[in-house]
Amino acid sequence: MVLLCLCAFSAYARSVRVYGYVVDQDNIGIELANVAVLNTDRPIGTSTNKNGYYELMLDEADTVVLSFSMIGYTTVQQRIIDLHDVLNVNIQMLTDEQLLTEIEVRGLKRSQGTMDQIDAQTTRIMPDATGGSIESLLITFAGVSQTNELSSQYNVRGGSFDENSVYVNGIEVHRPLLIRSGQQEGLSFVNPEMVDNVRFSAGGYGAQYGDKMSSVLDITYKRPQAFEASISASLLGAQVYVGHGDSTYSQMHGIRYKTSKYMLGGLATSGNYQPTYIDYQTYITWRTGPKWNMSFLGNVSQNDYKFQPDSLSESFGGQDAKNLTIYYDGQEKDKFLTAFAALSAEGQVNKGLTIGFDASGFYTNERENFDITGEYILSNAPMDGSSANNGRPGEQIDPSEGQTDVLGTGVFHQHARNILQAGVFSLAHHGAWTRNNNTLTWGLSGQAEYITDRISEWEWRDSAGYSMPNDGHNMSLYYNMRGDSSMLSYRVQAYMQNQHKWNTTSGQWILTVGGRLQWWSWNNEVLPSPRASIEWLPGWKRDFCFRLATGLYYQAPFYKELRDTITGDDGITRIRLNRDLKAQRSVHVVLGGDYYFRAWGRPFKFTAEAYYKYIDRMESYTVDNVRVRYSGQNDSEGFAAGLDLKLYGELVPGADSWISFSTMTARQRQTANGQGATANSWIPSPTEQRYNFTMLFQDYIPQLPQLKFHLKMQFSEGMPYYAPRNNQAWGRMPMYKRIDLGATYIFNEKTTKFMRAPSAKHVKQWAIQFEVFNLVDWNNVNSYFWVADASDRQWASPNYLTGRRYNLKITVDLR
């Protein structure tokens, strides 16, 4: 109803949309070309985007003259007669021969290496159950997957969450270590309102990026040149952003508040959810001299998660259907406090030499406390359909009604008192020297890490009056873990990389060769990491680009990977830190290419990448929700091989959309001693998804371009899962299926007359957005809760994710 009223209001405004593309003689879009309306009382104009697309909203008129201009091209004027309806005007501009001696104008042969560019502004309008994050956009890219809409974590080409590195302004950032579920996770570190540039690589990345085996997300924050601000509020939270600057100084401040109480209300487990997440972030830059700049990046974040579960009732199992009903008592209280600060200086020594220095620190204080008791009834579900919920999670049933056979009843008590504190401090130097067709980059850093960790977790289970595990004699806890650990360690890292470009009759070539070196005091291990890539941009009429990248990559342990366990005769599992644990090692080979073309007069890019990764000295792990639990031993080897395909372009003029498809095989096997002696056969890796289809589609009504629609879609094979304490017995979750839909109506001076009034001069635009999450209301499984009878026969009851939910969001941009 709201959108219909807005449509009627816009129709009354009687503005006419004029749009099109500005291309050169090679039919390649011209970026930043000026499009102006001549002979008007006030200046009206715009500039083209990276694809050469422009759009104007003009008042109805008998005659309008448009002027298209760009340095290095001849100016073109286009007269429009009787402007009363939507009009498409495409222009081809020819190079100005008189300017060619001063300005090189050529069709752009796009070169990006293994890094992909991401438009951060898309996150503002894309439907996102996390409330708005860069990572939610990332999961629509080829090779990237996610099976938990409550989390910002993602998997890349068969790797775990911990194998992805994130850099902000060239500095690696960290996240809390005790997070075990998407409900606890809260806000991503990156504030989308502050982002200028986003680059991402799914493998084969350069030596400047640290020692992680799967991917790199490289974020650069912007430096505003004038006052700007935004305010937004929705059912998922709110945010305020303010920025200001000029040629010598800039500052940005952002406060975000998020509550997932509404989303968690769609989970199968009913109860009182009280999650609160808040963070403050600032980025300040200033010029200290003609050639030197300094910057400060700061962040403080606090996650409070309180939960009092009430009950769970659901059916599962298909033809062999079961009913599980649990009545809970107790509560969970978690708090995660993190802080990050970085001070940087960068200067230009001479024309080709730039150097920089960084000092950064990270601190986290994490507390996890819960005491939850549950009484469960597991029974066969009736086959006549008389069950009250018929397999739908979250709907209450009477466990005695219609049940034909009670398989087991029991009680469990889960307890945890976990405290972790960690601090990381680093000093770094980096530099770049450019001469002719060579660019040499280097870096050197030292890092100190101090971590204290106290763990006290146990679970007691009783089935039909028998404590489990049941040996007929003793009463034992089902699970009992203790730990009191601390560590102080130091790392030294260095890298050097050279990029050389040259032209031949076959086209342009770009060769990048480099390497990293790391030493860690904990195990006294030295890690050499050579990396290389070559890119060929053939001199064909069609716009192609081919690349090959390879390298030796390491996943150096941080802390969680070090936690080895030993179970004593008393049944208590104690944690010890393994000083002999080596870094996991992986060889990457990536072969890919891009094809740029135009179809229906619009730009498109098709990307294909084939890859192979072999991993030895691997540390086996399992994934439960977003918690990665490691074995603490180099006990496995593995590999991942696959193909990623992506079609990117403007399916409708002026709106970027893309379709991605990935197929892969990721396998691992345990070795007898970690040195290659085979002890077990190959099994799927915990994050293997043999197929993954994603799509982000943007559309609008041609006569009403301010009303935009956004569709995000994902269909992925389910993740493997494993029986408790048995990594060789495995199954596979059902397919992850999800469609999110959003509709946004934008008011600005181009589309709405009242926005041109003097009273609205400080409002750049405002928007109303309506979102539907999980449009089809599919039941997606994230993990399993294992129940057992007195004979220790176990059943896996699925933990379902959120169902269909709705969200309303209002955003106001100021200037």
Side-chain angles (χ1 to χ4, degrees), residues 121 186 217 235 298 367 374 419 421 429 434 497 509 537 551 577 596 601 614:
Q121 292 300 310
L217 179 61
L235 297 178
R367 298 174 181 267
I419 301 175
Q421 296 184 70
H429 159 68
T434 301
Q497 179 173 278
W509 295 82
L537 289 73
L577 302 184
Y596 297 84
Y614 171 74

mmCIF file with all atom_site columns, all heavy atoms in Angstrom, residues 121 186 217 235 298 367 374 419 421 429 434 497 509 537 551 577 596 601 614:
data_model
loop_
_atom_site.group_PDB
_atom_site.id
_atom_site.type_symbol
_atom_site.label_atom_id
_atom_site.label_alt_id
_atom_site.label_comp_id
_atom_site.label_asym_id
_atom_site.label_entity_id
_atom_site.label_seq_id
_atom_site.pdbx_PDB_ins_code
_atom_site.Cartn_x
_atom_site.Cartn_y
_atom_site.Cartn_z
_atom_site.occupancy
_atom_site.B_iso_or_equiv
_atom_site.pdbx_formal_charge
_atom_site.auth_seq_id
_atom_site.auth_comp_id
_atom_site.auth_asym_id
_atom_site.auth_atom_id
_atom_site.pdbx_PDB_model_num
ATOM 1   N N   . GLN A 1 121 ? 28.289 0.239   -2.544  1.00 0.00 ? 121 GLN A N   1
ATOM 2   C CA  . GLN A 1 121 ? 26.993 0.901   -2.457  1.00 0.00 ? 121 GLN A CA  1
ATOM 3   C C   . GLN A 1 121 ? 25.832 -0.067  -2.640  1.00 0.00 ? 121 GLN A C   1
ATOM 4   O O   . GLN A 1 121 ? 24.704 0.218   -2.214  1.00 0.00 ? 121 GLN A O   1
ATOM 5   C CB  . GLN A 1 121 ? 26.909 2.022   -3.497  1.00 0.00 ? 121 GLN A CB  1
ATOM 6   C CG  . GLN A 1 121 ? 27.840 3.186   -3.212  1.00 0.00 ? 121 GLN A CG  1
ATOM 7   C CD  . GLN A 1 121 ? 27.538 3.833   -1.874  1.00 0.00 ? 121 GLN A CD  1
ATOM 8   O OE1 . GLN A 1 121 ? 26.400 4.158   -1.561  1.00 0.00 ? 121 GLN A OE1 1
ATOM 9   N NE2 . GLN A 1 121 ? 28.584 4.021   -1.063  1.00 0.00 ? 121 GLN A NE2 1
ATOM 10  N N   . GLY A 1 186 ? 26.815 -10.882 15.986  1.00 0.00 ? 186 GLY A N   1
ATOM 11  C CA  . GLY A 1 186 ? 26.665 -9.439  15.986  1.00 0.00 ? 186 GLY A CA  1
ATOM 12  C C   . GLY A 1 186 ? 27.095 -8.792  14.693  1.00 0.00 ? 186 GLY A C   1
ATOM 13  O O   . GLY A 1 186 ? 26.823 -9.275  13.594  1.00 0.00 ? 186 GLY A O   1
ATOM 14  N N   . LEU A 1 217 ? 39.928 -10.345 1.563   1.00 0.00 ? 217 LEU A N   1
ATOM 15  C CA  . LEU A 1 217 ? 38.984 -9.251  1.397   1.00 0.00 ? 217 LEU A CA  1
ATOM 16  C C   . LEU A 1 217 ? 39.725 -7.968  1.766   1.00 0.00 ? 217 LEU A C   1
ATOM 17  O O   . LEU A 1 217 ? 40.125 -7.795  2.922   1.00 0.00 ? 217 LEU A O   1
ATOM 18  C CB  . LEU A 1 217 ? 37.759 -9.448  2.282   1.00 0.00 ? 217 LEU A CB  1
ATOM 19  C CG  . LEU A 1 217 ? 36.686 -8.355  2.238   1.00 0.00 ? 217 LEU A CG  1
ATOM 20  C CD1 . LEU A 1 217 ? 36.107 -8.220  0.833   1.00 0.00 ? 217 LEU A CD1 1
ATOM 21  C CD2 . LEU A 1 217 ? 35.593 -8.639  3.256   1.00 0.00 ? 217 LEU A CD2 1
ATOM 22  N N   . LEU A 1 235 ? 13.771 -2.707  11.519  1.00 0.00 ? 235 LEU A N   1
ATOM 23  C CA  . LEU A 1 235 ? 13.440 -3.671  12.568  1.00 0.00 ? 235 LEU A CA  1
ATOM 24  C C   . LEU A 1 235 ? 14.668 -4.410  13.066  1.00 0.00 ? 235 LEU A C   1
ATOM 25  O O   . LEU A 1 235 ? 14.624 -5.048  14.112  1.00 0.00 ? 235 LEU A O   1
ATOM 26  C CB  . LEU A 1 235 ? 12.415 -4.672  12.038  1.00 0.00 ? 235 LEU A CB  1
ATOM 27  C CG  . LEU A 1 235 ? 11.054 -4.106  11.629  1.00 0.00 ? 235 LEU A CG  1
ATOM 28  C CD1 . LEU A 1 235 ? 10.172 -5.210  11.077  1.00 0.00 ? 235 LEU A CD1 1
ATOM 29  C CD2 . LEU A 1 235 ? 10.382 -3.416  12.803  1.00 0.00 ? 235 LEU A CD2 1
ATOM 30  N N   . GLY A 1 298 ? 39.895 3.654   14.377  1.00 0.00 ? 298 GLY A N   1
ATOM 31  C CA  . GLY A 1 298 ? 39.543 3.123   15.677  1.00 0.00 ? 298 GLY A CA  1
ATOM 32  C C   . GLY A 1 298 ? 38.181 2.458   15.675  1.00 0.00 ? 298 GLY A C   1
ATOM 33  O O   . GLY A 1 298 ? 37.274 2.867   14.940  1.00 0.00 ? 298 GLY A O   1
ATOM 34  N N   . ARG A 1 367 ? 33.414 -13.552 27.265  1.00 0.00 ? 367 ARG A N   1
ATOM 35  C CA  . ARG A 1 367 ? 32.870 -14.355 28.356  1.00 0.00 ? 367 ARG A CA  1
ATOM 36  C C   . ARG A 1 367 ? 31.639 -15.108 27.870  1.00 0.00 ? 367 ARG A C   1
ATOM 37  O O   . ARG A 1 367 ? 30.719 -14.506 27.319  1.00 0.00 ? 367 ARG A O   1
ATOM 38  C CB  . ARG A 1 367 ? 32.530 -13.475 29.553  1.00 0.00 ? 367 ARG A CB  1
ATOM 39  C CG  . ARG A 1 367 ? 33.750 -12.771 30.139  1.00 0.00 ? 367 ARG A CG  1
ATOM 40  C CD  . ARG A 1 367 ? 33.381 -11.802 31.235  1.00 0.00 ? 367 ARG A CD  1
ATOM 41  N NE  . ARG A 1 367 ? 34.582 -11.136 31.738  1.00 0.00 ? 367 ARG A NE  1
ATOM 42  C CZ  . ARG A 1 367 ? 35.292 -11.562 32.773  1.00 0.00 ? 367 ARG A CZ  1
ATOM 43  N NH1 . ARG A 1 367 ? 34.897 -12.639 33.424  1.00 0.00 ? 367 ARG A NH1 1
ATOM 44  N NH2 . ARG A 1 367 ? 36.376 -10.915 33.156  1.00 0.00 ? 367 ARG A NH2 1
ATOM 45  N N   . GLY A 1 374 ? 17.475 -29.461 29.848  1.00 0.00 ? 374 GLY A N   1
ATOM 46  C CA  . GLY A 1 374 ? 16.409 -29.823 28.925  1.00 0.00 ? 374 GLY A CA  1
ATOM 47  C C   . GLY A 1 374 ? 15.876 -31.217 29.191  1.00 0.00 ? 374 GLY A C   1
ATOM 48  O O   . GLY A 1 374 ? 16.639 -32.141 29.506  1.00 0.00 ? 374 GLY A O   1
ATOM 49  N N   . ILE A 1 419 ? 36.224 -17.954 29.696  1.00 0.00 ? 419 ILE A N   1
ATOM 50  C CA  . ILE A 1 419 ? 36.743 -16.585 29.664  1.00 0.00 ? 419 ILE A CA  1
ATOM 51  C C   . ILE A 1 419 ? 38.008 -16.572 28.809  1.00 0.00 ? 419 ILE A C   1
ATOM 52  O O   . ILE A 1 419 ? 38.927 -17.367 29.034  1.00 0.00 ? 419 ILE A O   1
ATOM 53  C CB  . ILE A 1 419 ? 37.071 -16.072 31.083  1.00 0.00 ? 419 ILE A CB  1
ATOM 54  C CG1 . ILE A 1 419 ? 35.836 -16.102 31.973  1.00 0.00 ? 419 ILE A CG1 1
ATOM 55  C CG2 . ILE A 1 419 ? 37.630 -14.659 31.014  1.00 0.00 ? 419 ILE A CG2 1
ATOM 56  C CD1 . ILE A 1 419 ? 36.134 -15.730 33.425  1.00 0.00 ? 419 ILE A CD1 1
ATOM 57  N N   . GLN A 1 421 ? 40.817 -13.760 26.997  1.00 0.00 ? 421 GLN A N   1
ATOM 58  C CA  . GLN A 1 421 ? 41.318 -12.420 26.737  1.00 0.00 ? 421 GLN A CA  1
ATOM 59  C C   . GLN A 1 421 ? 42.513 -12.532 25.800  1.00 0.00 ? 421 GLN A C   1
ATOM 60  O O   . GLN A 1 421 ? 43.365 -13.408 25.980  1.00 0.00 ? 421 GLN A O   1
ATOM 61  C CB  . GLN A 1 421 ? 41.738 -11.716 28.026  1.00 0.00 ? 421 GLN A CB  1
ATOM 62  C CG  . GLN A 1 421 ? 40.592 -11.467 28.990  1.00 0.00 ? 421 GLN A CG  1
ATOM 63  C CD  . GLN A 1 421 ? 41.037 -10.676 30.206  1.00 0.00 ? 421 GLN A CD  1
ATOM 64  O OE1 . GLN A 1 421 ? 41.353 -9.493  30.114  1.00 0.00 ? 421 GLN A OE1 1
ATOM 65  N NE2 . GLN A 1 421 ? 41.058 -11.342 31.357  1.00 0.00 ? 421 GLN A NE2 1
ATOM 66  N N   . HIS A 1 429 ? 56.058 -1.763  8.331   1.00 0.00 ? 429 HIS A N   1
ATOM 67  C CA  . HIS A 1 429 ? 56.558 -0.810  7.326   1.00 0.00 ? 429 HIS A CA  1
ATOM 68  C C   . HIS A 1 429 ? 56.235 -1.366  5.948   1.00 0.00 ? 429 HIS A C   1
ATOM 69  O O   . HIS A 1 429 ? 56.307 -2.580  5.716   1.00 0.00 ? 429 HIS A O   1
ATOM 70  C CB  . HIS A 1 429 ? 58.070 -0.620  7.466   1.00 0.00 ? 429 HIS A CB  1
ATOM 71  C CG  . HIS A 1 429 ? 58.718 -0.087  6.215   1.00 0.00 ? 429 HIS A CG  1
ATOM 72  N ND1 . HIS A 1 429 ? 58.505 1.197   5.739   1.00 0.00 ? 429 HIS A ND1 1
ATOM 73  C CD2 . HIS A 1 429 ? 59.570 -0.672  5.330   1.00 0.00 ? 429 HIS A CD2 1
ATOM 74  C CE1 . HIS A 1 429 ? 59.187 1.378   4.625   1.00 0.00 ? 429 HIS A CE1 1
ATOM 75  N NE2 . HIS A 1 429 ? 59.851 0.260   4.354   1.00 0.00 ? 429 HIS A NE2 1
ATOM 76  N N   . THR A 1 434 ? 58.135 2.718   -8.175  1.00 0.00 ? 434 THR A N   1
ATOM 77  C CA  . THR A 1 434 ? 57.706 2.551   -9.565  1.00 0.00 ? 434 THR A CA  1
ATOM 78  C C   . THR A 1 434 ? 58.697 3.226   -10.487 1.00 0.00 ? 434 THR A C   1
ATOM 79  O O   . THR A 1 434 ? 59.065 4.400   -10.281 1.00 0.00 ? 434 THR A O   1
ATOM 80  C CB  . THR A 1 434 ? 56.305 3.150   -9.778  1.00 0.00 ? 434 THR A CB  1
ATOM 81  O OG1 . THR A 1 434 ? 55.373 2.514   -8.906  1.00 0.00 ? 434 THR A OG1 1
ATOM 82  C CG2 . THR A 1 434 ? 55.848 2.955   -11.221 1.00 0.00 ? 434 THR A CG2 1
ATOM 83  N N   . GLN A 1 497 ? 57.605 -8.003  -3.677  1.00 0.00 ? 497 GLN A N   1
ATOM 84  C CA  . GLN A 1 497 ? 56.910 -8.390  -4.908  1.00 0.00 ? 497 GLN A CA  1
ATOM 85  C C   . GLN A 1 497 ? 57.207 -7.378  -6.006  1.00 0.00 ? 497 GLN A C   1
ATOM 86  O O   . GLN A 1 497 ? 57.262 -6.170  -5.751  1.00 0.00 ? 497 GLN A O   1
ATOM 87  C CB  . GLN A 1 497 ? 55.406 -8.461  -4.640  1.00 0.00 ? 497 GLN A CB  1
ATOM 88  C CG  . GLN A 1 497 ? 54.548 -8.833  -5.842  1.00 0.00 ? 497 GLN A CG  1
ATOM 89  C CD  . GLN A 1 497 ? 53.101 -9.055  -5.461  1.00 0.00 ? 497 GLN A CD  1
ATOM 90  O OE1 . GLN A 1 497 ? 52.731 -10.121 -4.993  1.00 0.00 ? 497 GLN A OE1 1
ATOM 91  N NE2 . GLN A 1 497 ? 52.279 -8.043  -5.634  1.00 0.00 ? 497 GLN A NE2 1
ATOM 92  N N   . TRP A 1 509 ? 51.339 -7.942  -21.575 1.00 0.00 ? 509 TRP A N   1
ATOM 93  C CA  . TRP A 1 509 ? 51.631 -8.967  -20.590 1.00 0.00 ? 509 TRP A CA  1
ATOM 94  C C   . TRP A 1 509 ? 51.934 -8.304  -19.246 1.00 0.00 ? 509 TRP A C   1
ATOM 95  O O   . TRP A 1 509 ? 52.563 -7.250  -19.195 1.00 0.00 ? 509 TRP A O   1
ATOM 96  C CB  . TRP A 1 509 ? 52.830 -9.814  -21.009 1.00 0.00 ? 509 TRP A CB  1
ATOM 97  C CG  . TRP A 1 509 ? 52.587 -10.616 -22.254 1.00 0.00 ? 509 TRP A CG  1
ATOM 98  C CD1 . TRP A 1 509 ? 52.678 -10.180 -23.544 1.00 0.00 ? 509 TRP A CD1 1
ATOM 99  C CD2 . TRP A 1 509 ? 52.199 -11.985 -22.322 1.00 0.00 ? 509 TRP A CD2 1
ATOM 100 N NE1 . TRP A 1 509 ? 52.381 -11.186 -24.433 1.00 0.00 ? 509 TRP A NE1 1
ATOM 101 C CE2 . TRP A 1 509 ? 52.089 -12.323 -23.696 1.00 0.00 ? 509 TRP A CE2 1
ATOM 102 C CE3 . TRP A 1 509 ? 51.961 -12.977 -21.377 1.00 0.00 ? 509 TRP A CE3 1
ATOM 103 C CZ2 . TRP A 1 509 ? 51.732 -13.590 -24.131 1.00 0.00 ? 509 TRP A CZ2 1
ATOM 104 C CZ3 . TRP A 1 509 ? 51.608 -14.242 -21.793 1.00 0.00 ? 509 TRP A CZ3 1
ATOM 105 C CH2 . TRP A 1 509 ? 51.493 -14.545 -23.155 1.00 0.00 ? 509 TRP A CH2 1
ATOM 106 N N   . LEU A 1 537 ? 46.687 -9.804  -21.939 1.00 0.00 ? 537 LEU A N   1
ATOM 107 C CA  . LEU A 1 537 ? 45.581 -9.075  -22.537 1.00 0.00 ? 537 LEU A CA  1
ATOM 108 C C   . LEU A 1 537 ? 45.811 -9.043  -24.038 1.00 0.00 ? 537 LEU A C   1
ATOM 109 O O   . LEU A 1 537 ? 46.555 -8.199  -24.549 1.00 0.00 ? 537 LEU A O   1
ATOM 110 C CB  . LEU A 1 537 ? 45.507 -7.649  -21.981 1.00 0.00 ? 537 LEU A CB  1
ATOM 111 C CG  . LEU A 1 537 ? 45.042 -7.491  -20.533 1.00 0.00 ? 537 LEU A CG  1
ATOM 112 C CD1 . LEU A 1 537 ? 46.096 -7.934  -19.543 1.00 0.00 ? 537 LEU A CD1 1
ATOM 113 C CD2 . LEU A 1 537 ? 44.661 -6.049  -20.266 1.00 0.00 ? 537 LEU A CD2 1
ATOM 114 N N   . GLY A 1 551 ? 51.130 -20.490 -6.254  1.00 0.00 ? 551 GLY A N   1
ATOM 115 C CA  . GLY A 1 551 ? 51.892 -20.101 -5.074  1.00 0.00 ? 551 GLY A CA  1
ATOM 116 C C   . GLY A 1 551 ? 51.794 -21.142 -3.985  1.00 0.00 ? 551 GLY A C   1
ATOM 117 O O   . GLY A 1 551 ? 50.966 -22.064 -4.024  1.00 0.00 ? 551 GLY A O   1
ATOM 118 N N   . LEU A 1 577 ? 48.255 -26.769 24.931  1.00 0.00 ? 577 LEU A N   1
ATOM 119 C CA  . LEU A 1 577 ? 48.653 -26.084 23.711  1.00 0.00 ? 577 LEU A CA  1
ATOM 120 C C   . LEU A 1 577 ? 49.815 -26.833 23.065  1.00 0.00 ? 577 LEU A C   1
ATOM 121 O O   . LEU A 1 577 ? 50.839 -27.093 23.706  1.00 0.00 ? 577 LEU A O   1
ATOM 122 C CB  . LEU A 1 577 ? 49.053 -24.637 24.017  1.00 0.00 ? 577 LEU A CB  1
ATOM 123 C CG  . LEU A 1 577 ? 47.963 -23.784 24.681  1.00 0.00 ? 577 LEU A CG  1
ATOM 124 C CD1 . LEU A 1 577 ? 48.442 -22.352 24.855  1.00 0.00 ? 577 LEU A CD1 1
ATOM 125 C CD2 . LEU A 1 577 ? 46.667 -23.823 23.896  1.00 0.00 ? 577 LEU A CD2 1
ATOM 126 N N   . TYR A 1 596 ? 34.857 -9.420  -21.954 1.00 0.00 ? 596 TYR A N   1
ATOM 127 C CA  . TYR A 1 596 ? 34.009 -8.233  -21.902 1.00 0.00 ? 596 TYR A CA  1
ATOM 128 C C   . TYR A 1 596 ? 33.296 -8.077  -23.248 1.00 0.00 ? 596 TYR A C   1
ATOM 129 O O   . TYR A 1 596 ? 33.923 -8.129  -24.306 1.00 0.00 ? 596 TYR A O   1
ATOM 130 C CB  . TYR A 1 596 ? 34.846 -6.979  -21.628 1.00 0.00 ? 596 TYR A CB  1
ATOM 131 C CG  . TYR A 1 596 ? 35.543 -6.979  -20.293 1.00 0.00 ? 596 TYR A CG  1
ATOM 132 C CD1 . TYR A 1 596 ? 36.772 -7.604  -20.126 1.00 0.00 ? 596 TYR A CD1 1
ATOM 133 C CD2 . TYR A 1 596 ? 34.978 -6.347  -19.192 1.00 0.00 ? 596 TYR A CD2 1
ATOM 134 C CE1 . TYR A 1 596 ? 37.419 -7.604  -18.902 1.00 0.00 ? 596 TYR A CE1 1
ATOM 135 C CE2 . TYR A 1 596 ? 35.624 -6.336  -17.965 1.00 0.00 ? 596 TYR A CE2 1
ATOM 136 C CZ  . TYR A 1 596 ? 36.837 -6.960  -17.828 1.00 0.00 ? 596 TYR A CZ  1
ATOM 137 O OH  . TYR A 1 596 ? 37.481 -6.960  -16.618 1.00 0.00 ? 596 TYR A OH  1
ATOM 138 N N   . GLY A 1 601 ? 23.049 -3.645  -26.388 1.00 0.00 ? 601 GLY A N   1
ATOM 139 C CA  . GLY A 1 601 ? 23.562 -2.308  -26.142 1.00 0.00 ? 601 GLY A CA  1
ATOM 140 C C   . GLY A 1 601 ? 24.068 -2.079  -24.736 1.00 0.00 ? 601 GLY A C   1
ATOM 141 O O   . GLY A 1 601 ? 24.411 -0.947  -24.376 1.00 0.00 ? 601 GLY A O   1
ATOM 142 N N   . TYR A 1 614 ? 46.084 -28.275 -3.171  1.00 0.00 ? 614 TYR A N   1
ATOM 143 C CA  . TYR A 1 614 ? 46.477 -29.446 -2.398  1.00 0.00 ? 614 TYR A CA  1
ATOM 144 C C   . TYR A 1 614 ? 46.975 -28.966 -1.042  1.00 0.00 ? 614 TYR A C   1
ATOM 145 O O   . TYR A 1 614 ? 47.751 -28.016 -0.946  1.00 0.00 ? 614 TYR A O   1
ATOM 146 C CB  . TYR A 1 614 ? 47.577 -30.248 -3.092  1.00 0.00 ? 614 TYR A CB  1
ATOM 147 C CG  . TYR A 1 614 ? 48.138 -31.339 -2.198  1.00 0.00 ? 614 TYR A CG  1
ATOM 148 C CD1 . TYR A 1 614 ? 47.408 -32.493 -1.939  1.00 0.00 ? 614 TYR A CD1 1
ATOM 149 C CD2 . TYR A 1 614 ? 49.385 -31.187 -1.585  1.00 0.00 ? 614 TYR A CD2 1
ATOM 150 C CE1 . TYR A 1 614 ? 47.902 -33.479 -1.095  1.00 0.00 ? 614 TYR A CE1 1
ATOM 151 C CE2 . TYR A 1 614 ? 49.886 -32.174 -0.745  1.00 0.00 ? 614 TYR A CE2 1
ATOM 152 C CZ  . TYR A 1 614 ? 49.144 -33.313 -0.498  1.00 0.00 ? 614 TYR A CZ  1
ATOM 153 O OH  . TYR A 1 614 ? 49.617 -34.273 0.340   1.00 0.00 ? 614 TYR A OH  1
#
